[in-house]
Amino acid sequence: MLTQIGDGVHLSGGTDVNWVLVQDGDALTVVDTGYPGDADRLDASVRELGLVPGDVSAVLVTHAHVDHVGSVARWWEHHGVPVLMHADEVPNATGERAESATTLDVARRAWRPRTALWAARISRLGATSHQTFAHARAWTDGAPLDVPGAPVPVHTPGHTSGHAAYLFPAAGVLVTGDALVTGHAISRRRGPQQLPGFFTADGVQAERSLERLRALDADTIAPGHGPAWRGPLGDAVDQALSPRP
Ligand SMILES: [Zn+2]
């Protein structure tokens, strides 16, 4: 199901994770792709816009965790769609480096019913499979990217070294990936927040990256997990940095 959150910008999602479709005429940019098991839902969300997967001009990746890159290989192979990310994230995508929570990290917390249910759900979607992607390419930092929606990438390291948010200036939408979320299956908290620490490679860097988001010109957040959020970015950052209750 699609939710329009800005001019041409739609938030959609699979199981416990979001992706974003940005339409410009009959061309589309997709940001993140859900779990491997979400592939059919991702295709369906493109068709809901009256387009087909071959209309996608580029897939942008916030970071190369399995819940965000589950379909990138398939899109490259079937449609030749370029898959772009920050240069520091490419090694996570190609498998040269691994910055992610391990099965053991999750198992240690699985005594919590909420976590156990979530772990069972995502393992059915291929969460424990190792997704590596040799065709990952880096975009060049800074200027708007030459893809539908003209997004400005914002390097937000912490969750992973090459994590990036994407600002869609015309729509006033910031796609935050896992640098800032508004909910998660294993969190009771609602509203802007950080993911539980064991998901994050470098917590200090993650907080510094949040500070970088304050000054961006957007009033809508499309997070990697949780619903869209509308309001001043500074308020979202304040909430995300406030201690967990
Ligand atoms: Zn995620």
Side-chain angles (χ1 to χ4, degrees):
M1 207 188 78
L2 293 174
T3 309
Q4 181 159 9
I5 56 170
D7 199 13
V9 183
H10 303 264
L11 185 69
S12 187
T15 313
D16 300 318
V17 65
N18 299 328
W19 55 80
V20 176
L21 306 176
V22 183
Q23 186 174 9
D24 184 0
D26 55 5
L28 205 57
T29 295
V30 175
V31 188
D32 288 349
T33 64
Y35 284 103
D38 287 324
D40 290 343
R41 294 192 210 198
L42 177 58
D43 281 11
S45 67
V46 171
R47 291 178 201 284
E48 227 180 293
L49 287 174
L51 300 173
V52 294
D55 292 325
V56 175
S57 305
V59 174
L60 302 180
V61 171
T62 60
H63 64 295
H65 283 164
V66 63
D67 51 335
H68 300 260
V69 294
S71 287
V72 293
R74 169 168 146 156
W75 282 46
W76 166 263
E77 284 155 18
H78 291 197
H79 309 292
V81 179
V83 178
L84 305 169
M85 60 196 72
H86 188 277
D88 289 349
E89 197 62 8
V90 172
N92 285 333
T94 56
E96 286 161 61
R97 190 176 59 202
E99 291 177 320
S100 63
T102 63
T103 318
L104 185 62
D105 290 326
V106 174
R108 281 203 189 101
R109 290 160 180 86
W111 57 271
R112 296 181 175 96
R114 192 182 281 267
T115 304
L117 285 170
W118 167 76
R121 232 174 17 240
I122 63 168
S123 67
R124 284 196 291 273
L125 295 164
T128 54
S129 66
H130 201 56
Q131 299 289 314
T132 56
F133 183 63
H135 301 284
R137 293 285 173 269
W139 34 257
T140 4
D141 223 338
L145 304 178
D146 188 18
V147 300
V152 177
V154 184
H155 188 204
T156 45
H159 185 67
T160 59
S161 303
H163 189 288
Y166 295 95
L167 174 67
F168 288 87
V173 173
L174 180 66
V175 180
T176 54
D178 285 1
L180 189 159
V181 301
T182 60
H184 192 275
I186 67 168
S187 166
R188 274 201 194 83
R189 193 166 162 175
R190 295 283 167 261
Q193 59 190 282
Q194 298 185 73
L195 283 173
F198 74 96
F199 285 125
T200 296
D202 184 333
V204 174
Q205 222 179 20
E207 297 202 347
R208 248 182 254 140
S209 288
L210 275 176
E211 293 291 350
R212 290 189 67 188
L213 303 182
R214 280 186 196 279
L216 301 177
D217 190 14
D219 62 5
T220 302
I221 288 172
H225 305 271
W229 188 89
R230 204 176 283 273
L233 287 188
D235 289 2
V237 171
D238 285 341
Q239 287 186 46
L241 290 173
S242 71
R244 301 184 160 272

